[in-house]
Structures are given as C-alpha cells and as structure tokens.
Amino acid sequence: MSFDAPTVIKTKRDGGRLSDAAIDWVIDAYTGGQIAEEQMSALLMAIFLRGMDADETARWTAAMMASGERLDFSDLLTVDKHSTGGVGDKITLPLVAVVAACGAAVPQASGRGLGHTGGTLDKLESIAGFTADLTNSQVRQQLRDVGAAIFAAGRLAPADAKLYALRDITGTVESLPLIASSVMSKKLAEGAGALVLDVKVGTGAFMTSEDRARELAHTMVRLGAAHGVPTHALLTDMNRPLGLTAGNALEVAEALDVLAGGGPPDVVELTVTLATEMLRLAGVDGRDPAQTLRDGTAMDRFRALIAAQGGDLSVPLPVGACSESVTAPRGGTMGDIDAMAVGMTAWRLGAGRSRPGERVQPGAGIRIHRRPGEPVAAGEPLFTLYTDTPERFPAAMAELDGGWSVGDVPPAPRPLVIDRITG
Ligand code: URA
C-alpha cells in the first residue's frame, strides 16, 4: 500500500484513525527525510487537536522504537526513571548516583530542554568537558564501573529525537499520545530492566489537570508492561518549581548540594522517594537511599560518572554575566510561587531554546531566595535572575510578574507525591 503525507494529514485533521501501516510509513519516511518538516508539523498539530486512541499510540510508540537501536542490558541489574518534564527538575542528577550507590545500575538516556522545562543534557553540559555522546560499549562499561551513565538518547528512537525538536517549536508538546510515545519509545529502546516514571501535574507541567496526568501515567505504565518492562509511575506536584533554582548550571550546583547531604527538602524528598521506588522495582532490598546522601557514597558515584564522561567539577560552574533581583514590596509571608512563571522566566533568560539547535546559555536562570511559607522582610531580595544578554531582562521580569506573592498567611501545604500508579 502506498501513502502520501497530505492524505495522512487530512485523515487525522478530520478526526480519523491512522492505520498501523500509515503510522509505520509516517515514522519511517519522516526519520529518513522523505516527509518535509512542514508536513510533519501539520500532522503533529492534527494529532495535538484530534488525539490518538490507545492502539494508535501503541503503534506510534513501537514505530518510533523500531526507528533506531535497541540496547540490551539483560545481563546487568538495571532500572531507570524518566520525568515528563517540570521546572527546576534536576532530580535525575542526584537520583542516578543514589541508585547506583545502592547497587542497581542506571542507563539513563536523556534529552534536552523542551518548551519551558529544562533538559538533563543541557544541565550537565554546563560542566566543563562533559559529553553525553557515548558509544554503546562506553555505556556498558560505565554501567559496570560506575553504576550509571547519562547519554544522549539520539541513537535510540531517532524518530523521537527529530519529533521532539519539532514539537518544541511548533506548539505541539502538550499532547498525551505524543508525550507517552516520546517517553516510552526511547525508554523501552534503552534496555533498562525496569522503569519508574515521574509524571508531573500542575501549572509547570505539560499536564495541568490531575485526570489527564493520571491518564498519561496509566498509558505509559501499560506500554511498559506490553513490552515486558515492569513500569511504575508516581504522580508528583508541579504547581511549584522543584527546589530553589531553574536554569542549567544553577541546577547542577543545587544537585551537588543535595549530593553533599544538604539542598532543598523537596529535591531531597523526591530523590529519595523515586530511588526507593526504583530499588523496589529492581528487586534491591535493604538499602537506604537517604543514607547514601548522608555518607557521601552517592556523591562519590556522581563524581565518578562526571569524570568518566569527561567532565571536570573543579572548574567553576558558569554564572550569567548580568543579574537583576526582585525585592519584596512588603514584609509578610512568601506565598505560592508558580512553576510556569518561573520556567518561562528561565526560558526567556536564555536557559532554553526558541529555535532548533540553538545554543542554550549555561549560566542563565533564576534563583529563588524564599520558599512558600517563609517569613519575608520588606525590601529583601526574593529572586535573582541571571543572563549573559541583559536585553532579555524585561521579558523575563514580565513572565515572573504575577507568579508569586507576599501575604499575611502561609499558603496551604501541598503533598509532593500525589499518587503511585503500578498497573
Ligand atoms: N519527555 C519526553 O521525553 N517527551 C515528551 O514529550 C515530554 C517529556
């Protein structure tokens, strides 16, 4: 059967189903460069608006998996986690080290920033010399020697790598079937023995409603099970940013604080909770993830991982050349801080991309000085914004405006982990 892009686009535009053969053709032809970017953009927007059913999503995922290599680590005890994307989400950095220190290996195929959310590779590349371009045998060797490797997902599910970059600049990120297939195609191709998903819900997440986030979690857990990979999901709050920083090098510094036994309590809590879930799913008993942060064994693993990938932590992390602060207009109590406002501020400062392949500024971002509920004195700095290009400040300040408040009463506490989905 022969296909052409305009017919496939019109089928989805008009609310039809894409057949298995049509999906296989689209993914294969797009990966091979036979479908133009503008045609794929139109199809993505049609999918964004019309959706895909469970069978279409499963086929789209399988076709993306089949577009590249599939790694096999069945001779090692491996487990991985993937987050659907949030603001200030640097959890992967301490997490892989904690899990490795507890005895399970983590093959972490990672991506770059998407929309207002940061990407693990962009963060790590703010460390001098760090490379995520590892060969398969380097990944395997590192899993044996260090217990973790963080590498560019590009060879796995290359269809996703192309689609991910296109979705980022065409307003088609926040689609349940596109997120589920994007995450699961690369994570299933990566060959980890088990998978834990951190499904974010809230203003700073791609799923803003709990119902949709829950549906996304169930879809991905089912896709994992269908491919024989035990998969659990945690639904976690993303109405507030995680920790006190958003931006590449700023987040690496905060991850190092956590690995040194300090750091913001929410980052520590989520790291330990996800590590516990990963170790349970991998069948590793009797290890206390929190202890590895206290006794320095997780930090040792992280340093070994960075060194194995060419990074030099003795070189100071970059800081944006220009900074501006936002000060408290009155005394009182810090109110809620909106995750989307903080994410968009960091993005406007240069921490993310607005064109494909654009270089991100490693030192750009935002530091939060007061957590929700903390006392605030009139005139004290609440946020510091960093960038190398000060002409970005007005737009960044405008994003932050209205995303926080100082009041008389502390905001209601929010549980960080909302639910656990296991099947
Ligand atoms: N993470 C991914 O890998 N893909 C998405 O689409 C969203 C988050």
Side-chain angles (χ1 to χ4, degrees):
M1 188 154 178
S2 74
F3 293 95
D4 62 88
T7 308
V8 174
I9 295 166
K10 284 184 212 162
T11 302
K12 187 44 79 182
R13 182 198 64 189
D14 296 340
R17 278 196 81 256
L18 301 182
S19 68
D20 288 355
I23 290 173
D24 292 350
W25 175 80
V26 163
I27 297 295
D28 191 50
Y30 179 62
T31 312
Q34 289 113 40
I35 293 183
E37 298 295 330
E38 50 271 38
Q39 292 176 313
M40 199 53 167
S41 305
L43 180 58
L44 289 174
M45 187 54 82
I47 293 172
F48 179 93
L49 296 170
R50 294 294 196 168
M52 287 201 286
D53 67 23
D55 290 339
E56 287 175 293
T57 306
R59 190 69 178 206
W60 190 275
T61 306
M64 291 215 293
M65 260 175 82
S67 70
E69 295 176 25
R70 188 161 187 187
L71 304 182
D72 179 4
F73 299 118
S74 50
D75 53 326
L76 300 171
L77 178 66
T78 56
V79 58
D80 192 17
K81 84 99 201 190
H82 192 85
S83 156
T84 57
V87 176
D89 185 359
K90 69 278 296 173
I91 299 292
T92 293
L93 277 52
L95 180 66
V96 299
V98 166
V99 173
C102 289
V106 188
Q108 161 80 212
S110 284
R112 301 192 181 277
L114 193 60
H116 65 282
T117 68
T120 299
L121 298 188
D122 292 331
K123 296 181 217 273
L124 285 171
E125 282 170 0
S126 61
I127 299 172
F130 181 89
T131 179
D133 287 324
L134 303 184
T135 63
N136 294 349
S137 59
Q138 281 172 318
V139 172
R140 171 172 288 283
Q141 193 58 43
Q142 211 174 297
L143 291 180
R144 288 188 188 284
D145 297 344
V146 179
I150 301 179
F151 54 101
R155 278 192 316 278
L156 313 174
D160 176 58
K162 275 188 89 174
L163 284 172
Y164 192 90
L166 188 59
R167 286 167 57 215
D168 192 19
I169 53 162
T170 55
T172 52
V173 170
E174 301 90 342
S175 150
L176 193 154
L178 292 178
I179 295 174
S181 55
S182 162
V183 169
M184 294 309 287
S185 59
K186 57 184 171 267
K187 289 287 141 169
L188 293 170
E190 165 197 274
L195 182 61
V196 172
L197 300 164
D198 180 3
V199 179
K200 302 284 186 203
V201 55
T203 61
F206 295 130
M207 293 291 130
T208 50
S209 93
E210 199 173 309
D211 285 352
R212 293 288 283 166
R214 213 174 275 285
E215 196 185 333
L216 174 63
H218 279 291
T219 302
M220 293 194 291
V221 166
R222 276 195 294 268
L223 285 169
H227 287 269
V229 178
T231 303
H232 287 179
L234 299 183
L235 224 59
T236 70
D237 183 67
M238 189 30 73
N239 287 294
R240 290 175 182 165
L242 261 173
L244 296 172
T245 56
N248 299 304
L250 286 169
E251 294 192 44
V252 173
E254 190 167 274
L256 286 167
D257 290 345
V258 171
L259 285 160
D266 56 344
V267 179
V268 176
E269 180 190 339
L270 193 54
T271 302
V272 170
T273 307
L274 284 165
T276 304
E277 192 70 34
M278 289 167 76
L279 294 168
R280 187 186 299 154
L281 203 55
V284 176
D285 293 326
R287 301 302 297 265
D288 175 9
Q291 177 62 17
T292 69
L293 295 173
R294 289 191 292 267
D295 65 18
T297 51
M299 178 67 102
D300 292 344
R301 294 292 174 140
F302 188 73
R303 288 188 174 284
L305 179 149
I306 297 300
Q309 297 190 217
D312 184 353
L313 283 169
S314 70
V315 177
L317 289 163
V319 182
C322 309
S323 65
E324 274 195 15
S325 290
V326 175
T327 53
R330 52 164 282 193
T333 302
M334 192 72 196
D336 256 326
I337 301 174
D338 179 60
M340 182 56 118
V342 170
M344 287 302 294
T345 303
W347 184 76
R348 294 261 182 227
L349 290 166
R353 298 180 178 74
S354 52
R355 288 192 306 279
E358 192 178 8
R359 209 183 71 84
V360 298
Q361 291 186 26
I366 170 169
R367 184 185 296 284
I368 300 165
H369 298 290
R370 287 276 172 255
R371 294 188 182 87
E374 285 185 347
V376 166
E380 74 166 302
L382 298 178
F383 303 94
T384 305
L385 281 58
Y386 301 91
T387 183
D388 292 332
T389 39
E391 61 275 18
R392 290 172 178 266
F393 278 130
M397 287 287 185
E399 296 287 358
L400 192 57
D401 210 26
W404 58 277
S405 59
V406 175
D408 295 320
V409 284
R414 286 180 179 281
L416 189 53
V417 179
I418 298 162
D419 204 356
R420 178 167 171 260
I421 289 155
T422 58

